[in-house]
Amino acid sequence: MHSGHNQGVLNVGLTGGIGSGKSAVASRLGQLGAVIIDSDVLAREVVAPGTPGLSDIVAEFGAGIVGSDGGLDRPALARRVFNDDAARKSLEGIIHPLVRERSWQLREQAPSDAVVVNDVPLLVEGGMAPSFDLVIVVTAALDLRIDRLKARGLDAQQAQARIAAQATDTQREAAADAVIDNSGTLDALTDVVQRLHSERLIVFERNKRDRVVVCDAPHPVGASPGRLARARARIAHVLGVGTETVSADIVDGGAARVRVPVADHRLDVARDSLERAGFFDSSSRDQRVFCGTDPYNPCQVLLG
């Protein structure tokens, strides 16, 4: 796993169920200056003709999945893995590491003050939320999502099956730092995305780059179970420990407080890992405290 050198960027995960309008959010963030890394685009890029990825797929599934143009015959491959979990996992085992590697390369190439938005359809299903500084989930009313999928050529039954095959809204929102409801007009969506970008993403990136810590809630924040679970999972990922060793609660000011037992000889490693993730040393004489830099979601990490 890469630690990366380009630590100044804000690494954002963007996801949402099929038909939620996630792509519209990604497009608007791109217009506002964010660097967009689209996992679906990369999944095609890494298996293009002449790539090692395509060679690996042919070695696994045979020459029958190559079209007359020398490229991947996607319908043939889909038939091969349909209803075959072992085959699907083999395919994912080839493509997913290549997509992760390419995503890492693109993040490294981004400007040091960039907001990098990773558009990942199955971010929650793949358990990837803890690896991002911030996770945005796009939602929309179920009937609206079905209407959008019908406009793409699916019938109602196919649309419902596609939606049912993915994570639920509840599961996604449990992994989210920000939820955008895209059930309204495009103008309403544009306004919400613009405010999220200017009031949170830009400020979060600048705070992280300038090491500006946020320890107290700027306004009352609900102590939802999802918020604490997200904080625990994020810090466990950053420190490379199991979530069962991490506890979290809410302090009087509204900030999340995460406690992690760390042996003295591991403190330097833990400090480096936290600072790369945007949690900076705010220790007092009595406590080893690291504070996060998200302006809307203050978080304290206590080591020891």
Side-chain angles (χ1 to χ4, degrees):
M1 186 178 191
H2 297 292
S3 61
H5 302 290
N6 199 354
Q7 304 298 345
V9 305
L10 185 70
N11 192 28
V12 177
L14 171 67
T15 195
I18 188 167
S20 65
K22 170 180 59 65
S23 297
V25 174
S27 176
R28 183 60 189 141
L29 287 169
Q31 292 167 2
L32 292 168
V35 175
I36 307 298
I37 300 176
D38 188 326
S39 290
D40 281 346
V41 171
L42 297 190
R44 286 173 167 75
E45 180 185 303
V46 299
V47 295
T51 59
L54 181 58
S55 298
D56 290 346
I57 290 176
V58 171
E60 180 70 26
F61 296 100
I65 53 86
V66 177
S68 57
D69 61 354
L72 188 62
D73 184 338
R74 294 181 183 280
L77 181 61
R79 288 191 296 272
R80 176 69 180 80
V81 303
F82 186 69
N83 282 344
D84 185 337
D85 283 348
R88 180 178 52 79
K89 286 177 180 171
S90 293
L91 179 63
E92 291 172 350
I94 295 169
I95 293 178
H96 289 181
L98 296 171
V99 170
R100 284 195 296 269
E101 177 72 18
R102 184 66 183 134
S103 297
W104 176 82
Q105 290 171 355
L106 292 171
R107 278 196 298 276
E108 289 296 288
Q109 293 165 12
S112 60
D113 60 349
V115 172
V116 177
V117 176
N118 302 265
D119 183 341
V120 186
L122 300 180
L123 183 152
V124 172
E125 292 86 341
M128 293 176 261
S131 63
F132 296 103
D133 294 319
L134 181 137
V135 173
I136 302 169
V137 167
V138 185
T139 64
L142 179 59
D143 57 348
L144 188 55
R145 292 172 64 189
I146 291 172
D147 286 345
R148 289 170 180 168
L149 294 178
K150 285 163 72 174
R152 297 184 200 174
L154 301 181
D155 63 32
Q157 190 172 2
Q158 290 170 324
Q160 288 171 332
R162 293 281 187 94
I163 290 169
Q166 296 184 334
T168 65
D169 285 344
T170 300
Q171 288 169 326
R172 282 195 202 89
E173 289 176 24
D177 297 295
V179 177
I180 294 175
D181 183 355
N182 185 23
S183 299
T185 65
L186 186 58
D187 283 347
L189 178 69
T190 298
D191 180 57
V192 169
V193 173
Q194 197 149 339
R195 280 178 32 232
L196 175 67
H197 183 263
S198 63
E199 295 175 11
R200 187 167 187 182
L201 302 186
I202 291 293
V203 178
F204 193 170
E205 185 284 320
R206 187 173 63 237
N207 285 355
K208 188 179 176 188
R209 179 163 36 96
D210 293 344
R211 304 169 69 94
V212 176
V213 300
V214 182
C215 275
D216 298 312
H219 52 74
V221 180
S224 70
R227 181 175 168 231
L228 290 179
R230 162 78 176 135
R232 287 178 64 225
R234 173 67 176 147
I235 298 306
H237 174 83
V238 167
L239 294 177
V241 299
T243 53
E244 70 280 356
T245 68
V246 180
S247 62
D249 61 359
I250 298 290
V251 298
D252 289 343
R257 178 174 56 193
V258 181
R259 296 179 182 273
V260 190
V262 175
D264 286 347
H265 72 280
R266 296 282 299 167
L267 280 174
D268 287 344
V269 173
R271 180 183 295 109
D272 289 347
S273 298
L274 286 167
E275 295 200 345
R276 281 199 302 271
F279 292 84
F280 297 106
D281 199 337
S282 301
S283 298
S284 65
R285 189 169 59 183
D286 302 323
Q287 288 184 315
R288 298 188 185 96
V289 183
F290 293 76
C291 285
T293 45
D294 181 348
Y296 272 48
N297 191 14
C299 183
Q300 304 173 6
V301 182
L302 275 61
L303 301 184

